[in-house]
Amino acid sequence: MTITQEQATWFEQTFGQLADNVERAVLGKRRVIELVLTALLSEGHVLLEDVPGTGKTSLARAIGQSVQGTNTRIQFTPDLLPGDITGITVYDQKTGTFEFHSGPIFANIVLADEINRASPKTQSALLEVMEEGHVTIDGVTRRVGVPFLVLATQNPIEQAGTYRLPEAQLDRFLMRASLGYPDHAATVRILDGAAVSTDVLTPVITPQALVGMADLAASVYVDALVLDYIARLVDGTRSADEVRLGVSIRGALALTRATRTRAASQGRTYATPDDVKALAVPVFSHRLILHPEAEFDGVTQEAVIGQVLLDVAPPTSREVV
């Protein structure tokens, strides 16, 4: 069943209220806030990659506070173990049985702070739960929260004591975003104390309502021409001279889901090529593996996607409705 115009209008209003609430704590970053909310409503996860002090943790906390569910924070360190994330089974001597103690991954919003500081073994503990929404411990599968969003942060500048995220795990993130420094006007407002503490943000939506919004977003109509446009963009990333490994099928599916959500957030019941273009960089860029020569020449993944968007023409043969 396709989303109705009345439902799309409600979706747009609720999406705007969520973004407004988060922006009270993270000033001047509306674009990134909307990207994270789009990923949340597309049942995906976000990697926030930026230098220290730009508000990555504040953004994650603000998202968690805006949803009337559970939110946890995991500080990744080199000595963090997989069981510290997923939980462990402990033997109870009084009852003579094994009892499961759940880890911080069992929440609706999980902030994985400085994820690249943990060892590869610990990072891999997130693979199953990010993809499947459950963890398997001692042969028992347990579901995590619904909705479920992992907001991971990492500092790309400081590399001492860090472990690079493997491509398989990067592909699990629906988007990669960067906050960047606020502009001059937002900086003045921050210095003047205009940004509220994330602790005082009031929830604006329940987890059940959020799941309902995700279901509505999934029912947005996507024309065959738009799907063909996404497929041609994917092909363009694979044939680019600077690229060693292009976007996967998982990446194409991720862009399609995010495109539906963005259309609903604009109050529309159908997706357009503009929705695709607005999300191609954050959804695709971290999935590309460049040739070492291109990286040495200063070519970035974002620049490659930008060129592909210029080279691949959007559909124009008929109106996309």
Side-chain angles (χ1 to χ4, degrees), residues 24-314:
R24 293 174 58 205
V26 186
L27 301 179
K29 295 298 175 185
R30 183 76 177 201
R31 161 72 173 165
V32 181
I33 291 170
E34 290 179 348
L35 284 177
V36 175
L37 291 176
T38 299
L40 172 61
L41 293 166
S42 304
E43 299 179 339
H45 310 286
V46 180
L47 177 64
L48 295 175
E49 186 177 87
D50 217 328
V51 296
T54 52
K56 300 185 295 294
T57 303
S58 295
L59 173 59
R61 286 173 58 88
I63 296 285
Q65 290 292 98
S66 298
V67 179
Q68 192 180 353
T70 55
N71 60 87
T72 57
R73 178 178 183 271
I74 308 172
Q75 180 63 54
F76 280 69
T77 57
D79 60 348
L80 192 73
L81 298 175
D84 297 329
I85 297 174
T86 59
I88 57 174
T89 303
V90 179
Y91 182 72
D92 190 335
Q93 290 184 337
K94 293 182 179 179
T95 61
T97 59
F98 286 93
E99 182 179 325
F100 177 69
H101 291 204
S102 61
I105 200 67
F106 287 85
N108 297 121
I109 311 292
V110 179
L111 168 59
D113 220 352
E114 295 186 291
I115 187 174
N116 57 333
R117 291 201 175 278
S119 66
K121 181 177 182 179
T122 301
Q123 290 176 9
S124 67
L126 289 174
L127 287 177
E128 178 188 9
V129 67
M130 288 175 63
E131 183 72 12
E132 308 294 342
H134 59 68
V135 296
T136 302
I137 302 170
D138 295 334
V140 180
T141 300
R142 295 177 172 86
R143 301 288 304 179
V144 294
V146 178
F148 176 60
L149 169 71
V150 173
L151 265 173
T153 71
Q154 71 172 355
N155 173 11
I157 304 300
E158 185 182 355
Q159 298 300 323
T162 64
Y163 300 85
R164 180 178 176 179
L165 292 180
E167 283 72 20
Q169 185 163 331
L170 281 173
D171 207 30
R172 258 56 174 195
F173 288 100
L174 188 141
M175 292 183 190
R176 180 178 67 181
S178 176
L179 278 166
Y181 293 118
D183 58 26
H184 178 76
T187 300
V188 172
R189 292 177 62 202
I190 292 170
L191 296 177
D192 195 39
V196 303
S197 170
T198 54
D199 295 330
V200 301
L201 287 181
T202 55
V204 297
I205 193 169
T206 64
Q208 293 76 17
L210 204 64
V211 171
M213 288 184 70
D215 291 340
L216 286 177
S219 66
V220 167
Y221 174 71
V222 183
D223 190 87
L225 286 177
V226 176
L227 295 176
D228 177 74
Y229 180 47
I230 293 174
R232 287 188 289 117
L233 288 175
V234 170
D235 291 338
T237 67
R238 296 171 182 171
S239 60
D241 294 335
E242 306 89 345
V243 176
R244 182 159 58 93
L245 188 64
V247 174
S248 65
I249 289 297
R250 183 188 284 119
L253 290 170
L255 182 57
T256 305
R257 292 202 312 271
T259 295
R260 286 189 165 100
T261 302
R262 186 182 187 275
S265 72
Q266 303 292 312
R268 284 183 277 105
T269 61
Y270 57 91
T272 69
D274 287 338
D275 295 321
V276 177
K277 288 188 281 188
L279 295 169
V281 171
V283 174
F284 279 174
S285 61
H286 62 290
R287 304 174 193 273
L288 297 185
I289 300 178
L290 303 181
H291 287 295
E293 297 83 2
E295 290 184 294
F296 183 76
D297 291 338
V299 176
T300 64
Q301 296 157 319
E302 290 79 5
V304 172
I305 300 298
Q307 188 60 50
V308 170
L309 287 171
L310 291 175
D311 294 341
V312 178

